[in-house]
Amino acid sequence: MLSSLLIYGGSFSLSILFSYLYSISVSRSAVAKFLWMVVILLPVCLLASLRGDVGTDTLNYFNMYNGWLKHENIIQYTREVLSGTPNLIEPGFVLLNRISPLFYDDVKTLFFLSAFVQMSFVWLGITSFEKYLNPTFSLFIYYLFLFNTSLNLMRQSIAVAIIFYAFRYIVSHQFMKYLGFVLLASLFHVSALIFVVLYVFSLFSQDINGIFKTIFYFFVFTSPLVVYGAVQLAISSGLISALGFDSYGFNFSNFGWGFLIYTLPVILPLGVFSWEMNNKIPNRAYGYLFNICLLQIPFRFITYFSTYAGRLEDYVSIAQVVLVSMLIHNSEEGNKKVLTVYFVLWYILYHIITFAIGNTNETYPYVFG
């Protein structure tokens, strides 16, 4: 485990170092920004591409690449998907499989391209709020919190990254642009379509009487009961089948409150300072993103009933990547130091317990392919 921690830690640290150098660089031309992005992301993209059997589904991706995906006619394949043919891999990922051999015909090229697409949207999402946060710290959070998941859930992680980038259009109230990126994300994982509803948070500024907010906070704080009932209703009404989620294997024999251990240590401090942050950060950006992050509670809770359905949590929990950095960047000097130490220790602890010890997504030990 120690050697794997050094491999992950070394790659993350090198990328974070380049991010810091970017933050103190002078040039901000479009070309310079792109070149910096490539340099910043290169260490972790190489980490993703050079792996062997690291990540639960990695061998499945390997077999699909060497089997049929890279030979598909993308236009005909897309037509089949749009016609409703079940159990097909999303066309965006099929396209990556077709493009990869043009560079070098090896699955490692696919892994590199997938990681680069995903991390590009993560980086662009972070830098879209660059005035109000520290991009280097945001990258640190993403690496410890979600990067290892992407070594398993490759398609969904790309979709999550695209939705994350699209958060900027919730803040700026641009629905058509947000919808466009949701549709793009769905080309990599169809589950992204569910999250078009996140745009409702852009309406909160127009909610003079607070009706939307009242309903939303009621839902969050009663989410164990609401989620339990909603999932039961969705199954009995046939909605789960209609959405193609039968394979998510819902099981209602589990129930507990341990999920709060994974959510409250981050959500509580974010909530305590929410009023202060909303007054400091324009366009109520912090408030919108905090409300999105709160949805982590019901999505984490749903893992008691379906591990697969619980994967949807990543679409909302990724808001932490910018929220925590916003909080620290805009806090008073005394609070800034305390919060920095607190969150650094929390994310390191989270990574070690979840990935290194718990081996979630089976990314430890890291082995070269």
Side-chain angles (χ1 to χ4, degrees), residues 217-353:
Y217 290 124
F218 175 80
F219 167 77
V220 167
F221 294 120
T222 60
S223 59
L225 296 177
V226 174
V227 168
Y228 183 89
V231 173
Q232 287 276 27
L233 179 62
I235 292 175
S236 61
S237 66
L239 180 60
I240 292 294
S241 298
L243 293 173
F245 293 153
D246 290 311
S247 60
Y248 278 42
F250 288 92
N251 178 355
F252 290 90
S253 62
N254 299 318
F255 189 85
W257 295 95
F259 73 100
L260 294 175
I261 296 173
Y262 292 95
T263 56
L264 293 186
V266 173
I267 286 175
L268 280 179
L270 291 177
V272 167
F273 292 94
S274 60
W275 180 263
E276 177 185 342
M277 291 301 109
N278 262 335
N279 290 330
K280 289 184 175 181
I281 301 173
N283 301 322
R284 298 187 59 81
Y286 187 93
Y288 295 146
L289 295 171
F290 177 65
N291 288 332
I292 290 173
C293 193
L294 279 177
L295 290 172
Q296 184 183 354
I297 294 176
F299 279 120
R300 172 69 70 158
F301 177 75
I302 206 174
T303 58
Y304 285 118
F305 310 126
S306 171
T307 302
Y308 294 103
R311 293 175 178 179
L312 299 176
E313 175 194 357
D314 292 349
Y315 286 99
V316 293
S317 65
I318 194 173
Q320 295 180 26
V321 171
V322 287
L323 274 171
V324 172
S325 189
M326 280 181 178
L327 172 58
I328 293 173
H329 187 72
N330 294 281
S331 292
E332 302 297 330
E333 197 59 37
N335 289 337
K336 184 177 296 189
K337 293 179 181 178
V338 174
L339 288 169
T340 300
V341 172
Y342 172 79
F343 281 113
V344 166
L345 292 177
W346 164 251
Y347 284 109
I348 291 175
L349 184 65
Y350 179 91
H351 183 90
I352 292 174
I353 293 176

Side-chain angles (χ1 to χ4, degrees), residues 122-170:
V122 170
W123 178 249
L124 292 172
I126 289 171
T127 54
S128 67
F129 297 104
E130 191 171 3
K131 291 181 180 179
Y132 316 116
L133 51 71
N134 183 331
T136 301
F137 197 80
S138 289
L139 207 56
F140 165 82
I141 295 171
Y142 183 83
Y143 286 150
L144 292 182
F145 186 48
L146 287 172
F147 181 80
N148 283 61
T149 301
S150 72
L151 299 180
N152 175 31
L153 310 178
M154 287 171 55
R155 290 178 293 134
Q156 183 181 318
S157 294
I158 295 173
V160 168
I162 295 172
I163 295 293
F164 172 66
Y165 171 78
F167 285 167
R168 62 188 296 177
Y169 299 118
I170 294 177

Side-chain angles (χ1 to χ4, degrees), residues 204-222:
F204 277 9
S205 60
Q206 305 167 31
D207 184 21
I208 299 174
N209 297 318
I211 297 174
F212 285 150
K213 294 178 184 177
T214 301
I215 294 173
F216 172 69
Y217 290 124
F218 175 80
F219 167 77
V220 167
F221 294 120
T222 60

Side-chain angles (χ1 to χ4, degrees), residues 40-249:
I40 291 167
L41 304 184
L42 187 60
V44 292
C45 291
L46 289 173
L47 182 71
S49 65
L50 296 176
R51 73 186 192 270
D53 186 12
V54 177
T56 307
D57 294 337
T58 294
L59 289 183
N60 291 334
Y61 288 118
F62 178 88
N63 292 331
M64 286 190 292
Y65 176 84
N66 288 301
W68 59 278
L69 276 184
K70 66 180 178 180
H71 304 296
E72 281 292 325
N73 182 311
I74 187 64
I75 297 176
Q76 180 60 36
Y77 190 90
T78 303
R79 287 174 180 169
E80 291 180 27
V81 172
L82 295 176
S83 69
T85 304
N87 302 319
L88 291 179
I89 300 296
E90 289 83 355
F93 189 72
V94 176
L95 181 61
L96 283 181
N97 279 262
R98 289 301 311 273
I99 292 174
S100 294
L102 300 179
F103 295 95
Y104 184 72
D105 191 2
D106 192 287
V107 72
K108 289 180 174 55
T109 309
L110 171 66
F111 291 166
F112 183 92
L113 286 178
S114 298
F116 186 76
V117 171
Q118 165 206 326
M119 289 306 307
S120 294
F121 278 105
V122 170
W123 178 249
L124 292 172
I126 289 171
T127 54
S128 67
F129 297 104
E130 191 171 3
K131 291 181 180 179
Y132 316 116
L133 51 71
N134 183 331
T136 301
F137 197 80
S138 289
L139 207 56
F140 165 82
I141 295 171
Y142 183 83
Y143 286 150
L144 292 182
F145 186 48
L146 287 172
F147 181 80
N148 283 61
T149 301
S150 72
L151 299 180
N152 175 31
L153 310 178
M154 287 171 55
R155 290 178 293 134
Q156 183 181 318
S157 294
I158 295 173
V160 168
I162 295 172
I163 295 293
F164 172 66
Y165 171 78
F167 285 167
R168 62 188 296 177
Y169 299 118
I170 294 177
V171 172
S172 60
H173 311 286
Q174 299 181 72
F175 175 70
M176 294 308 297
K177 288 185 178 181
Y178 180 71
L179 178 61
F181 280 100
V182 170
L183 294 176
L184 176 62
S186 72
L187 295 179
F188 292 93
H189 207 276
V190 70
S191 61
L193 290 173
I194 298 172
F195 294 92
V196 71
V197 301
L198 294 181
Y199 190 79
V200 73
F201 295 121
S202 71
L203 304 177
F204 277 9
S205 60
Q206 305 167 31
D207 184 21
I208 299 174
N209 297 318
I211 297 174
F212 285 150
K213 294 178 184 177
T214 301
I215 294 173
F216 172 69
Y217 290 124
F218 175 80
F219 167 77
V220 167
F221 294 120
T222 60
S223 59
L225 296 177
V226 174
V227 168
Y228 183 89
V231 173
Q232 287 276 27
L233 179 62
I235 292 175
S236 61
S237 66
L239 180 60
I240 292 294
S241 298
L243 293 173
F245 293 153
D246 290 311
S247 60
Y248 278 42

Side-chain angles (χ1 to χ4, degrees), residues 5-20 40 43-44 136 140 143:
L5 281 170
L6 291 174
I7 292 171
Y8 284 118
S11 299
F12 296 163
S13 297
L14 192 57
S15 177
I16 288 169
L17 172 62
F18 291 144
S19 175
Y20 171 73
I40 291 167
V44 292
T136 301
F140 165 82
Y143 286 150

